Amino acid sequence: MRGRGLKIRMPSIGNDLVKQDFSPPNMDDIQRWMAAAFDLATEALENGEVPVGCLMVYRNEVLGKGGNEVNDTKNATRHAEMVAFDHVVEWCCSRDLNLNQVCAQTTLYVTVEPCIMCSSALRLLNIPLIVYGCRNERFGGCGSVLSIASDDELLTGSSFKCISGYQAEEAVEMLKRFYKQENPNAPKCKVRKV
Amino acid sequence: MEPLPKRRKGMDEGVDSWEVHPILSDEQSHDIKLVEAFAAPIINKKETSRLLKDLATTYPLPGLQHIKRVRARKSDKHPHPLEVVICLVDGAPEVKDSKEVSLTTLLPSESFNSSGLGEPFTVKIPAHPSLTRPQFEQASVHWPTTFHEDKQVTAALRGQLFTAAQKAKMHKYMMTAIRAAKAGQEQGMVPVGAVMVDPASDQILATAHDCARGTHPLLHAVMVCIDLVAHGQGGGAYDFDPFPACQFTVPDRQPVEGSSDSVAPGSTQEQRGEPYLCTGYDLYVTREPCIMCAMSLLHSRIGRVFYGTTTRDGALGTRYKIHTQKELNHHFEVYRGVTQHLCEDLAEEPH
Ligand SMILES: [Zn+2]
Ligand SMILES: [Zn+2]
């Protein structure tokens, strides 16, 4: 059952978010979108990629989703979040919408704490809020290694809030299974585009 | 009439106009820290070796293995040519005022034979081992220490790590990055350029410029360059056809002889001698990468990064030092200053 192991820390959502007409997600939203993110992580695992899945949700609509595609693209920056960001950019572009305005009302749901790279990208996109599962002890940018999410001295982009701990144990278990069965540095042959 | 430029501009600015500066970790670049200790002169030299042995048992000084316990005083001002560290002020028993300490409080006569030692005094000694020669020289002013010198770091700090021929190559690669930055600027982009080089073959594998403005806000020059390298390896995620200055080359580094047959299927690309991501490559970028780009380079296993000029929120020296971050699983060398003036001349705009 998806709702198991619910340990969530809710941040106080500041007035700045309310001003931008941003309604933070309720528990039902979180359960629904995180379930979808875990499905994407499972898919990535089946494709021999690091099991991380994510969704970008804007006004109850999924604008982007992604799983890790590093091996498939031979590009180490193709994390689930970066794949999903591309979808949001395309979505805005095709509708001639202002990316900044859309991002300011978009929430990222991701199974694992974003790495330092993805956290920095979230700042650059001005995403106000993310919901994530387990900590990323190796590369985490929302507190585990560096605190890019909340660094007030950074002038680049804007800081964002985190709701953490959703199904953290399940997310950790998937990562453990992945790192146990294979060398993360060993790219597999293309699986997806056959 | 145009005002005269402050210095020569353009392609004629030569290799001698810039210097390479290594970007070391905070531990390597900060001033040494000092701790207060009690020391005493050795007034009877014949007791030296016994005193050292007994002191090592009574006050072993854990964590201060770099401290040489005895120092020689050569000048005529010091009546006694040898002085010895007894203990840290923090580690001394019942000392209320360090200026009024006596030998018997530090070394009670019932447990320690202090004959041969003079009256103690306080001294500042280096708290940590020196990592660089400047730190070692700073430390030596206070108290002698051991030093395991990294010759490469010393040479880098003296500006002697790279030969004139190597600097000429760096100059050439950065000029390519600058030309790419200008080509991007002509298409309305922020003028930042990047070039990926395989130092083993001196081959330029990718040339990129910033493509962020108006297209995709995350396509900084470094991100473009990494994806172009992926294109050269049969991957890649983006289409750079609208930007003709963004180019890639398929690497012609040959697999190690016989390895492709002898290694079992499922072995890594590296084991098969094929290029893997940016492993061992050099990146030349006109200005210091942001956090996202610096971490992308780390994920890509970059070998070395050379940049021209620093940036406000830069992550390879200015705001963070991603390349020396202890918790991260890959570290790489970073150098600043390659064609610095030319890189500074590229229009500065908020990014
Ligand atoms: Zn990431
Ligand atoms: Zn960047």
Side-chain angles (χ1 to χ4, degrees):
Chain A
M1 201 193 127
R2 287 286 177 196
R4 254 183 326 126
L6 210 65
K7 265 186 278 172
I8 298 187
R9 267 178 285 141
M10 281 284 211
S12 60
I13 306 292
N15 285 332
D16 46 333
L17 295 181
V18 177
K19 266 187 228 144
Q20 287 171 359
D21 189 27
F22 175 77
S23 43
N26 59 36
M27 199 56 89
D28 284 347
D29 295 332
I30 291 177
Q31 295 209 2
R32 181 158 54 118
W33 301 125
M34 284 303 280
F38 271 94
D39 288 344
L40 289 164
T42 309
E43 204 179 298
L45 184 69
E46 284 162 3
N47 288 328
E49 302 271 3
V50 180
V52 181
C54 75
L55 269 81
M56 307 278 292
V57 179
Y58 166 74
R59 295 181 171 170
N60 238 4
E61 185 179 349
V62 178
L63 303 194
K65 56 183 183 176
N68 193 299
E69 291 181 359
V70 167
N71 295 340
D72 201 32
T73 57
K74 296 173 189 280
N75 179 336
T77 72
R78 300 305 290 163
H79 289 187
E81 298 93 321
M82 302 298 269
V83 173
F85 297 158
D86 286 357
H87 296 161
V88 175
V89 170
E90 280 160 26
W91 190 88
C92 289
C93 199
S94 64
R95 282 161 186 77
D96 209 17
L97 289 171
N98 183 298
L99 180 68
N100 274 334
Q101 283 171 11
V102 170
C103 283
Q105 298 176 46
T106 297
T107 303
L108 168 78
Y109 297 87
V110 57
T111 54
V112 181
E113 174 189 354
C115 76
I116 291 164
M117 172 187 75
C118 294
S119 300
S120 177
L122 283 160
R123 285 188 73 107
L124 290 169
L125 292 173
N126 299 307
I127 301 287
L129 176 71
I130 73 165
V131 179
Y132 70 80
C134 67
R135 284 161 61 89
N136 180 344
E137 302 289 351
R138 296 174 157 212
F139 302 117
C142 306
S144 290
V145 177
L146 292 177
S147 300
I148 304 302
S150 58
D151 186 341
D152 289 333
E153 281 174 54
L154 272 181
L155 298 168
T156 313
S158 45
S159 59
F160 56 90
K161 299 212 156 66
C162 302
I163 297 173
S164 63
Y166 185 87
Q167 270 177 271
E169 284 131 56
E170 186 179 335
V172 169
E173 209 43 55
M174 286 174 87
L175 286 174
K176 272 189 190 157
R177 252 171 63 207
F178 176 79
Y179 286 115
K180 214 177 282 172
Q181 74 194 21
E182 55 197 305
N183 175 358
N185 303 328
K188 293 265 173 186
C189 302
K190 283 193 179 182
V191 192
R192 184 171 286 184
K193 291 177 185 166
V194 179
Chain B
M1 202 180 137
E2 275 184 32
L4 283 171
K6 268 178 273 177
R7 53 171 193 269
R8 289 184 305 157
K9 280 205 173 190
M11 302 304 192
D12 60 333
E13 192 150 347
V15 174
D16 297 332
S17 68
W18 52 270
E19 277 179 62
V20 206
H21 305 277
I23 309 294
L24 303 176
S25 67
D26 287 346
E27 291 77 15
Q28 288 171 307
S29 39
H30 66 47
D31 286 344
I32 59 154
K33 287 195 184 72
L34 298 167
V35 277
E36 279 217 309
F38 290 114
I42 296 177
I43 51 178
N44 182 358
K45 267 178 90 173
K46 285 177 187 157
E47 297 276 7
T48 303
S49 64
R50 182 197 59 79
L51 282 167
L52 282 177
K53 212 177 103 216
D54 291 355
L55 277 171
T57 314
T58 312
Y59 291 116
L61 303 183
L64 292 170
Q65 285 85 355
H66 57 284
I67 296 290
K68 292 187 177 175
R69 197 105 196 193
V70 175
R71 76 169 165 186
R73 297 299 253 173
K74 289 185 189 93
S75 89
D76 300 333
K77 280 184 293 181
H78 301 277
H80 306 291
L82 293 180
E83 289 170 351
V84 62
V85 175
I86 298 173
C87 62
L88 290 181
V89 169
D90 269 351
E94 293 171 39
V95 177
K96 285 196 187 78
D97 183 355
S98 61
K99 286 184 185 80
E100 287 170 24
V101 73
S102 72
L103 211 48
T104 45
T105 47
L106 295 179
L107 300 165
S109 50
E110 57 268 29
S111 60
F112 195 96
N113 173 10
S114 56
S115 70
L117 275 181
E119 276 310 302
F121 57 93
T122 58
V123 65
K124 286 193 167 77
I125 63 171
H128 306 290
S130 299
L131 299 170
T132 64
R133 185 150 281 276
Q135 284 181 340
F136 175 62
E137 282 161 7
Q138 218 187 347
S140 302
V141 173
H142 298 275
W143 195 271
T145 61
T146 56
F147 176 43
H148 302 288
E149 184 166 17
D150 183 330
K151 291 269 162 57
Q152 185 179 318
V153 169
T154 300
L157 284 169
R158 284 188 181 141
Q160 295 166 345
L161 189 59
F162 302 106
T163 65
Q166 284 170 320
K167 273 189 80 183
K169 273 187 201 169
M170 291 150 108
H171 194 90
K172 187 187 79 180
Y173 296 137
M174 196 63 99
M175 291 311 299
T176 305
I178 290 170
R179 278 193 297 272
K182 286 177 176 167
Q185 191 175 28
E186 275 169 25
Q187 287 189 265
M189 300 294 133
V190 182
V192 185
V195 165
M196 193 74 77
V197 177
D198 180 1
S201 63
D202 276 334
Q203 196 183 7
I204 292 182
L205 298 173
T207 307
H209 60 71
D210 190 286
C211 300
R213 188 180 288 163
T215 46
H216 188 314
L218 302 181
L219 285 179
H220 294 181
V222 171
M223 303 300 280
V224 175
C225 205
I226 288 172
D227 199 54
L228 288 167
V229 170
H231 276 274
Q233 296 174 4
Y238 297 98
D239 171 15
F240 296 108
D241 286 349
F243 303 103
C246 293
Q247 293 176 345
F248 67 88
T249 317
V250 176
D252 59 18
R253 192 201 272 184
Q254 292 301 308
V256 182
E257 213 172 301
S259 64
S260 53
D261 298 324
S262 58
V263 180
S267 62
T268 69
Q269 284 175 311
E270 277 175 297
Q271 283 165 345
R272 291 195 300 272
E274 291 167 24
Y276 173 57
L277 303 174
C278 302
T279 307
Y281 291 166
D282 289 345
L283 180 86
Y284 292 83
V285 56
T286 53
R287 69 182 194 191
E288 185 184 357
C290 72
I291 304 167
M292 174 182 71
C293 291
M295 196 60 195
S296 300
L297 290 165
L298 187 138
H299 284 316
S300 303
R301 318 245 153 190
I302 193 76
R304 296 184 296 184
V305 174
F306 299 88
Y307 63 81
T309 179
T310 56
T311 55
R312 194 184 56 188
D313 273 347
L316 298 180
T318 301
R319 181 73 184 85
Y320 287 102
K321 289 179 175 175
I322 293 285
H323 63 296
T324 68
Q325 191 79 31
K326 274 205 191 82
E327 301 87 341
L328 297 173
N329 66 346
H330 178 68
H331 301 115
F332 51 95
E333 291 172 31
V334 174
Y335 300 91
R336 168 180 66 79
V338 178
T339 72
Q340 182 172 340
H341 299 313
L342 296 176
C343 291
E344 282 167 357
D345 288 343
L346 290 169
E348 248 328 294
E349 287 175 72
H351 183 115

